[in-house]
Amino acid sequence: MTRALEAVRPVAVEGSVLARKPRQLLLALFGEYVCDQYFEPLRASVLIGALEPAGIAAAAVRTNLDRMVESGLLARRRLGREVGFELTAHGSDVLRDAAERVKGAEPFAPQGEGWTVVAFTLPEDRRALRHRLRAALTWAGFAALRDGLWIAPGEVDLAAVLDGVEGDLPAGAVTAFAASELPGYPMADAVRVAWDVAGIRRAHDEFIASWDDPDAAADLPALTRHVLLVADWLALLRVDPRLPAEYMGEDWPAARSAEVFTARHRAFAFPGVRDFAARVS
């Protein structure tokens, strides 16, 4: 997947996938309303006003904005007595990267055939680097099949996945290759060893239950409602590693999740844009 969704997806899917966090909501808002569309800094008060109806306190919004500045996603600008926030070039790149899957026609289909396999080894004193490497792989849909042996569905652009990590890796630390299933050695069992398939299903079911009703979250402002939808979709994309449909069963809910998101996103977009315009005017 992309660099944009920020949190590392665990192999086991535990708890509610739609546990909405301020950073996740801010990414959704900037991705939908700012990136390549609105080029003025957004006042902190606008961002707080959009997220408070979702139960996010003003202090939490400000803290996460500061962290996003520290991470290079946002830049801070003084606007009279207020503070404004705008995307950096890096932040725009990250959100464009995310948009490719957020609005893609087949967000849960593998990219290419077969599997991408990565093996790595790092000395014990490079524990922090090992964590970064595992985080990057997990983020891209990889899961550990054995200690130090990770697989992901499809043809993964590993250079892009390891961008920001590879320069710190010792020579020969990572080995990668493409693989395909061999007759007599089906991948179905390996898929269930590496990924929490039941947990991924629960994540889809939770998204569908939350947004299947056209009147879901109708009591919220239009901008907030739209941002919540996109943030929940980002969370689901983070959980689902695009496993091939043939391993998932006939009633796999990914297609229904995509239908629900497409319908709600289309319905919520114009009211959200109108609400956003009113807030920034």
Side-chain angles (χ1 to χ4, degrees):
M1 203 181 139
T2 67
R3 296 167 293 165
L5 311 184
E6 300 301 306
V8 173
R9 168 174 30 78
V11 174
V13 182
E14 300 175 352
S16 172
V17 172
L18 308 186
R20 293 149 178 168
K21 298 179 180 179
R23 186 184 185 92
Q24 183 175 303
L25 298 175
L26 287 166
L27 285 167
L29 193 156
F30 275 93
E32 284 292 305
Y33 291 94
V34 179
C35 186
D36 295 328
Q37 298 180 72
Y38 184 78
F39 299 97
E40 296 297 322
L42 283 183
R43 301 187 307 275
S45 58
V46 170
L47 296 164
I48 291 168
L51 269 57
E52 276 188 326
I56 308 299
V61 176
R62 293 185 188 279
T63 296
N64 280 272
L65 287 169
D66 289 341
R67 289 173 179 170
M68 292 170 75
V69 170
E70 291 171 4
S71 67
L73 293 170
L74 299 179
R76 188 185 291 106
R77 185 188 295 184
R78 175 63 63 179
L79 301 174
R81 295 183 177 181
E82 282 204 74
V83 175
F85 295 87
E86 59 189 351
L87 286 169
T88 62
H90 169 61
S92 295
D93 287 344
V94 166
L95 292 176
R96 289 188 197 106
D97 191 19
E100 292 181 11
R101 189 175 178 196
V102 167
K103 299 175 183 178
E106 295 184 303
F108 301 112
Q111 295 180 299
E113 301 295 327
W115 303 84
T116 301
V117 181
V118 171
F120 66 85
T121 180
L122 287 168
E124 188 62 27
D125 61 355
R126 305 300 299 274
R127 189 172 301 175
L129 180 58
R130 186 189 305 152
H131 173 75
R132 289 170 56 205
L133 175 57
R134 287 173 173 168
L137 292 172
T138 303
W139 176 243
F142 283 85
L145 185 59
R146 302 282 189 275
D147 186 30
L149 183 65
W150 292 58
I151 63 171
E155 301 165 8
V156 178
D157 182 354
L158 196 61
V161 170
L162 298 184
D163 182 34
V165 178
E166 196 160 23
D168 297 326
L169 293 171
V174 175
T175 302
F177 47 92
S180 58
E181 182 177 315
L182 291 176
Y185 297 90
M187 283 294 297
D189 290 342
V191 164
R192 280 160 177 77
V193 167
W195 286 278
D196 179 8
V197 174
I200 298 169
R201 177 186 289 274
R202 288 195 304 274
H204 279 284
D205 290 343
E206 185 179 352
F207 179 84
I208 294 166
S210 296
W211 295 105
D212 196 26
D213 183 353
D215 293 325
D219 58 325
L220 296 176
L223 175 60
T224 307
R225 187 189 197 192
H226 192 204
V227 167
L228 283 179
L229 170 71
V230 175
D232 287 355
W233 184 242
L234 288 170
L236 180 60
L237 295 178
R238 187 174 65 244
V239 166
D240 190 307
R242 300 184 171 197
L243 292 166
E246 59 263 34
Y247 302 114
M248 312 313 293
E250 293 182 1
D251 61 343
W252 188 246
R256 181 58 186 156
S257 293
E259 290 174 2
V260 168
F261 173 74
T262 300
R264 300 298 162 263
H265 191 265
R266 185 182 298 118
F268 295 173
F270 180 70
V273 168
R274 187 168 53 192
D275 188 4
F276 177 80
R279 292 170 187 263
V280 299
S281 61

